[in-house]
DNA sequence: GCAGTTAATGAATCGCATG
DNA sequence: CCATGCGATTCATTAACTG
């Protein structure tokens, strides 16, 4: 296959200065690391950590500074949560590329990277991911479809995000738990709740029948309807780009086993850590920001999740 | 903005040999042209045609030869409809790029290109489209979510296609008719069917109320649930990658006015032409294949659509 | 006519046989 | 050993048939 890749003037493949971690323990159920995402992933990899899921939720190249919202403002005023300003698209892509390269190093062969992005910049990240992970590693584009207050625009309302899944080793059997969703209304009407089976006569398929065995439903697809975190919802932490727990729980549930390691170098308010802990997985979250660490710590304490702080230097 | 672009070894920007059209009339409601898509788009542009919608449904880089299916097999046996085999991804991208370049030439300033693709190769086409149409021209990624039989795979079922929309001129007001979809169940439950209105006190939003005015529903989003053409459906033509009429009607309805011109350089069995005609738009379809022309002609005749054949040389 | 039941069949994958 | 091809699987959808 001919290599197709992205170029831009002055494209650099920078490696972050490697970090070193004090007091990281493989066994800790939940660890919070303050530091640069890519550098800390590299440090985890060199300590021999093997993640089954790395969830990366970088900025979406919006050109904005994102600030805390109402829930957090009440407690400590409006503050900058993270900046999403870049000199150009190339600089942004170099930032994400460093995360992808480091994420790949920490992944177990049967593990997956899930890169959360949006349809304005996600296509560039797919191409970047193909470069980093190689042919055949891109296995799913998950569409997260949500509902929100409509914007006044002469265009279709943007009501979805993209989650790009790459596997570490396309030749390995990936971790995957088959889950099901309800049958389509038309199917239930025609076929009832029984599993369908084709009737083969003389080696030729003639027609289908229903069986007595109940159908588990349709195998889970790649378009997921999940509610956003409501502005006044109990789940809301105040972090501006918070993702729903239900979304992260579905990823963790389908892509990891209990006891596996989940790593998030873009911790934010720690949704992935909470999802992992609730499902009995170990988790490491990495973030540079004060707001992220404060909100995550408060959230985990309230949820009764024991966690360890790890310093990186 | 730094230019980010795709490269591959030996990337060529080939222009198809320009075609010339005999007997094309601007006023014909529906025209069928036999010829190369890009070359004929160029010929239309040099005749001064101005399309409001160009719908492009190229092969999806599957590596397969696509053959007619049951409906057509009964009438004339199984035949090759089109080949989707390429020496490499670069060759494929050069083919699609030629279509995009020519499509842009035939578009009116307020017109849109809609590129139908899938999540395996669509990301590359987005980047290619940005190169051809320029910054700010990519305005929507529409997700067509469908339901189909399950495949046995350790992965999420692939149940969506992508439709990438680019506008010809980002500074022009695009053709766009706002349509609505039913309110979400949870919205209807909380707010009923009345239009919501935010209550602003001292310039600050306090809460929302419902009004007596009935809500038209939620403005149409970019995730569309539309059934595939059923294997035994009346709509089925026998063309292997046939798209549902409902999908094309939604595009034509929202993105064009009655009387506007819709052009499809990847005609197949003519779904876009039929959609355009049913909604009172003019249409030109272009295809090289015998099967495409036979099936389209038969389909339009059965639907009572008057059409003109145009030769290209 | 209408509702309820039965029929027909697509095409994504994996697994296994074949060359 | 690798490429190719065919069989098995099974929801989703509309058409056709039946009472």
């Amino acid at each position: 296959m001919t290599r197709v890749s992205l170029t831009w003037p002055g494209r650099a493949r920078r490696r972050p200065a490697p970090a070193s971690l004090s007091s990281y323990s493989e066994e800790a159920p939940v660890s919070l690391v303050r530091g640069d995402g890519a550098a800390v992933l590299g440090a985890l990899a060199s300590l021999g950590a093997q993640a089954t899921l790395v969830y990366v939720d970088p900025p979406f190249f919006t050109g904005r500074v994102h600030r805390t919202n109402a829930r957090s403002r009440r407690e400590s005023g409006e503050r900058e949560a993270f900046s999403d300003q870049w000199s150009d698209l190339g600089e942004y892509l170099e930032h994400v590329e460093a995360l992808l390269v480091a994420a790949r190093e920490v992944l177990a062969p049967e593990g997956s990277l899930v890169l959360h992005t949006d349809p304005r910049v996600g296509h560039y990240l797919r191409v970047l991911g193909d470069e980093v992970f190689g042919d055949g590693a891109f296995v799913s584009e998950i569409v997260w479809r949500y509902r929100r207050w409509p914007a006044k625009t002469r265009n279709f309302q943007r009501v979805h995000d993209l989650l790009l899944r790459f596997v570490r080793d396309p030749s390995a059997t990936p971790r995957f738990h088959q889950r099901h969703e309800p049958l389509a209304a038309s199917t239930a009407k025609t076929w009832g709740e029984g599993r369908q089976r084709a009737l083969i006569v003389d080696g030729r398929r003639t027609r289908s029948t229903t069986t007595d065995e109940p159908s588990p439903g349709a195998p889970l697809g790649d378009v997921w309807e999940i509610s956003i975190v409501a502005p006044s919802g109990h789940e809301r932490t105040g972090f501006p780009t918070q993702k729903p727990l239900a979304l992260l729980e579905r990823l963790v549930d389908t892509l990891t086993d209990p006891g596996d390691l989940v790593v998030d170098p873009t911790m934010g308010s720690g949704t992935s850590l909470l999802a992992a802990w609730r499902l009995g997985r170990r988790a490491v979250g990495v973030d540079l920001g004060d707001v992220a660490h404060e909100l995550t710590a408060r959230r985990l304490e309230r949820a009764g999740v024991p966690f360890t702080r790890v310093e990186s230097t």
Side-chain angles (χ1 to χ4, degrees), chain A:
Chain A
M1 164 84 80
T2 307
R3 287 240 60 87
V4 174
S5 60
L6 290 174
T7 50
W8 54 91
R11 175 170 184 179
R13 288 168 211 258
R14 273 184 266 107
R15 307 261 322 176
S20 89
L21 302 181
S22 64
S23 77
Y24 169 69
S25 158
E26 182 90 18
E27 278 78 38
V30 176
S31 305
L32 270 59
V33 188
R34 183 185 299 267
D36 173 74
V40 172
L41 290 182
L44 288 168
S46 58
L47 289 175
Q50 293 261 293
T52 310
L53 172 63
V54 178
Y55 173 75
V56 179
D57 182 20
F60 289 1
F61 195 61
T62 58
R64 294 208 304 265
V65 171
H66 292 261
R67 306 181 167 280
T68 54
N69 52 33
R71 169 141 332 229
S72 171
R73 269 204 301 276
R74 272 196 297 280
E75 300 186 6
S76 45
E78 182 180 290
R79 285 184 299 164
E80 173 174 334
F82 63 94
S83 167
D84 187 11
Q85 296 183 324
W86 313 84
S87 63
D88 57 31
L89 180 59
E91 187 193 25
Y92 171 79
L93 294 174
E94 285 167 24
H95 172 78
V96 179
E97 184 176 26
L99 284 169
L100 298 182
V101 168
R104 184 165 181 272
E105 289 172 1
V106 82
L107 274 171
E110 70 278 13
S112 303
L113 172 91
V114 173
L115 178 58
H116 194 136
T117 180
D118 82 0
R120 280 187 293 229
V121 80
H123 310 95
Y124 288 85
L125 300 187
R126 155 70 197 282
V127 177
L128 206 58
D130 276 1
E131 285 183 49
V132 172
F133 284 82
D135 281 341
F138 178 72
V139 293
S140 306
E141 173 180 87
I142 297 162
V143 172
W144 170 32
R145 191 259 203 265
Y146 48 81
R147 286 164 201 277
R148 59 165 174 74
W149 190 270
K152 196 172 172 183
T153 169
R154 290 179 68 81
N155 194 0
F156 306 109
Q157 302 286 324
R158 206 171 60 70
V159 289
H160 74 279
D161 278 8
L162 301 176
L163 289 94
L164 309 176
R165 176 158 84 101
F166 296 87
V167 291
R168 168 68 181 80
D169 177 359
S171 69
T173 303
R175 277 276 197 292
F176 188 75
H177 300 143
Q178 182 70 69
R179 300 292 183 241
H180 297 85
E181 47 190 330
L183 296 175
S186 67
T187 304
K189 193 170 163 232
T190 309
W191 298 94
E193 296 299 322
R195 194 188 272 267
Q196 289 179 48
R197 177 162 294 276
L199 212 77
I200 312 281
V201 176
D202 295 337
R204 297 180 63 104
R205 182 173 143 198
T206 55
R207 62 197 175 82
S208 295
T209 56
T210 43
T211 62
D212 290 337
E213 207 186 335
S215 167
L220 187 61
D222 59 8
V223 179
W224 298 357
E225 286 211 28
I226 291 176
S227 303
I228 55 174
V229 180
S232 63
H234 171 253
E235 197 183 324
R236 177 70 72 128
T237 61
F239 200 85
T241 56
Q242 189 186 350
K243 303 301 183 295
L245 190 57
L247 179 72
L248 272 294
E249 285 189 345
R250 186 176 282 186
L251 289 171
V252 170
D253 172 56
T254 51
L255 299 176
T256 67
D257 281 351
D260 280 349
L261 180 64
V262 175
V263 175
D264 183 347
T266 51
M267 183 177 72
S269 54
T271 306
S272 59
L273 308 187
L274 184 56
W277 183 79
R278 283 164 55 100
L279 296 168
R281 278 72 166 171
R282 291 171 297 129
V284 178
V286 188
D287 211 302
L288 264 175
D290 292 340
V291 170
H293 279 273
E294 269 175 48
L295 294 181
T296 300
R298 184 181 302 156
R299 182 184 198 181
L300 294 179
E301 277 159 13
R302 285 182 184 168
V305 181
F307 63 89
T308 314
R309 287 183 201 275
V310 177
E311 293 304 315
S312 85
T313 48

